[in-house]
Amino acid sequence: MIVLGRDLFSRKLAEELKAEFVEVFHKKFPDGEYYFRISEPDKLKGRKAFVVVRRTMNNLDQNGMIIESLLLADKIKGLEAEKSCLVLPYMPYARQDKEFLKGEVVSVKTLRDMLTEKYDLVLNVTSHDLRKEGWINEKAYNIDATDSIIEFFRKMNFKDPIVIAPDMTASENVERLAKAIGGNTLAVEKKRDYNTGHITSNITKLPNFSGQELIIFDDICSTGGTLYKAIGLTKKAKARKIIAVVIHLLDVYNEKFGKNSVELIENSADEFHATDTIETPLSDISVIGQIGDFLKKNF
Ligand code: R5P
């Protein structure tokens, strides 16, 4: 088995799988195009290849991740690997998983079709289309990072914490997290205007949670607006401690606040945690064990 990648995450996954690590070098040409080179191409022949394409804060963007995934697939095939698995901890273009407004392109569907045509398996972590029936099949699989978060939080010994979803889409996972750590939940319903992007919430004031620990859990933080608002609300509820946790933490510029999301939210709660599906300074919950377990059993 060979794990191909260009970061510490891929090296650790190789260790987890007891596989050999082969580095992928990349650079960007002045015109914006990407270049890739597999450092030890001769090692791939007849072996299972796992390609890790992962987003880092200041490195490849979503478009670059797609290009990297497609280009490496063909190269690996040419090098006669036995079979190939693409590990995309953060699935690019997954947010548009439905035609909300007539005529909208459902980007994740096109992406899945393209990638599963080139790889024997495409593995993602908590992608938005996780919920779509029929989209998850023997060539496309999604693992839920809530399990890694539960494992991390179990070691923290909470006493009756309240777990809050700033977005109803996360509520199922919120229920699961709360149950696993002996807490209760409170879901805040958020509505997004699909034309303007403006968000409204059904809750403007929370009950008094004085002395309690509050955990705010969302699947994704992009501009940080949703989390920032939720943390602001919980502060008024007089909680003893406010902990925010997200699966995918993107570092995106927030126009309203004039700063990037990580800078906006990192000091807004008492503690901030994120998984390492994307590399950020706050990514202290690893999904590598979960990915490794799945791959050992299924590929
Ligand atoms: C929505 O479906 C997600 O669960 C997040 O709440 C949302 O994407 C966060 O976006 P932002 O950080 O830009 O408010």
Side-chain angles (χ1 to χ4, degrees):
M1 284 191 290
I2 302 273
V3 172
L4 295 109
R6 47 183 169 69
D7 60 5
L8 191 61
F9 183 97
S10 358
R11 282 179 195 273
K12 285 189 180 162
L13 182 63
E15 275 170 33
E16 181 74 31
L17 292 171
K18 300 199 176 15
E20 201 172 338
F21 177 74
V22 167
E23 190 160 7
V24 175
F25 297 122
H26 83 282
K27 65 179 179 187
K28 206 173 184 176
F29 288 110
D31 63 357
E33 289 182 4
Y34 288 107
Y35 157 101
F36 300 96
R37 182 169 78 81
I38 295 173
S39 60
E40 296 166 285
D42 297 340
K43 288 191 169 171
L44 270 85
K45 194 170 176 170
R47 296 170 80 177
K48 281 185 201 168
F50 299 89
V51 178
V52 181
V53 176
R54 176 167 168 263
R55 187 186 156 111
T56 54
M57 282 237 303
N58 310 308
N59 214 320
L60 285 182
D61 57 14
Q62 277 97 320
N63 298 331
M65 290 168 73
I66 296 163
I67 290 294
E68 179 174 5
S69 304
L70 295 174
L71 297 183
L72 287 177
D74 281 348
K75 187 69 190 169
I76 286 163
K77 208 172 194 171
L79 292 169
E80 298 177 41
E82 182 204 335
K83 53 182 189 166
S84 61
C85 167
L86 173 66
V87 180
L88 266 176
Y90 175 69
M91 173 74 182
Y93 285 81
R95 315 193 77 180
Q96 196 72 35
D97 62 351
K98 189 173 157 187
E99 189 174 346
F100 295 100
L101 297 177
K102 206 165 186 279
E104 275 180 350
V105 170
V106 183
S107 53
V108 71
K109 177 98 176 65
T110 305
L111 259 283
R112 284 234 176 276
D113 291 347
M114 264 176 10
L115 296 173
T116 48
E117 201 179 304
K118 289 198 177 286
Y119 286 92
D120 297 298
L121 175 68
V122 175
L123 181 64
N124 305 125
V125 179
T126 318
S127 160
H128 256 194
D129 59 334
L130 177 77
R131 306 171 295 254
K132 292 276 177 297
E133 243 177 77
W135 286 30
I136 302 305
N137 53 37
E138 71 284 356
K139 291 201 84 184
Y141 200 81
N142 222 316
I143 60 173
D144 182 3
T146 307
D147 292 345
S148 298
I149 293 176
I150 287 174
E151 207 183 309
F152 183 88
F153 275 14
R154 267 196 178 133
K155 294 177 193 138
M156 290 168 72
N157 294 324
F158 292 104
K159 274 194 197 120
D160 305 325
I162 304 289
V163 186
I164 298 178
D167 184 314
M168 284 301 273
T169 56
S171 64
E172 208 178 288
N173 292 347
V174 166
E175 292 285 349
R176 224 152 65 73
L177 174 61
K179 206 170 160 200
I181 58 172
N184 288 303
T185 62
L186 180 95
V188 180
E189 188 170 5
K190 185 186 83 170
K191 283 205 176 77
R192 189 183 291 267
D193 181 312
Y194 294 120
N195 288 305
T196 62
H198 185 70
I199 295 165
T200 47
S201 162
N202 70 332
I203 291 187
T204 46
K205 194 171 182 290
L206 292 177
N208 193 309
F209 286 125
S210 132
Q212 276 187 285
E213 291 161 311
L214 290 188
I215 299 170
I216 305 172
F217 175 30
D218 205 354
D219 60 344
I220 185 164
C221 169
S222 172
T223 64
T226 308
L227 264 179
Y228 190 77
K229 207 168 172 177
I231 292 168
L233 260 180
T234 52
K235 278 189 172 156
K236 290 184 197 145
K238 301 199 166 49
R240 182 163 62 82
K241 196 173 190 184
I242 299 168
I243 298 169
V245 58
V246 286
I247 294 176
H248 306 296
L249 175 56
L250 285 92
D251 191 35
V252 171
Y253 185 69
N254 185 312
E255 265 182 41
K256 187 173 165 196
F257 293 96
K259 49 175 95 163
N260 277 20
S261 48
V262 170
E263 195 190 339
L264 175 70
I265 44 117
E266 67 183 334
N267 295 319
S268 58
D270 297 307
E271 278 181 35
F272 204 106
H273 305 279
T275 77
D276 56 0
T277 57
I278 298 168
E279 190 179 309
T280 77
L282 303 176
S283 307
D284 56 356
I285 303 176
S286 186
V287 294
I288 293 172
Q290 235 190 301
I291 292 179
D293 284 349
F294 176 83
L295 290 175
K296 276 182 232 165
K297 284 186 206 131
N298 298 288
F299 195 75

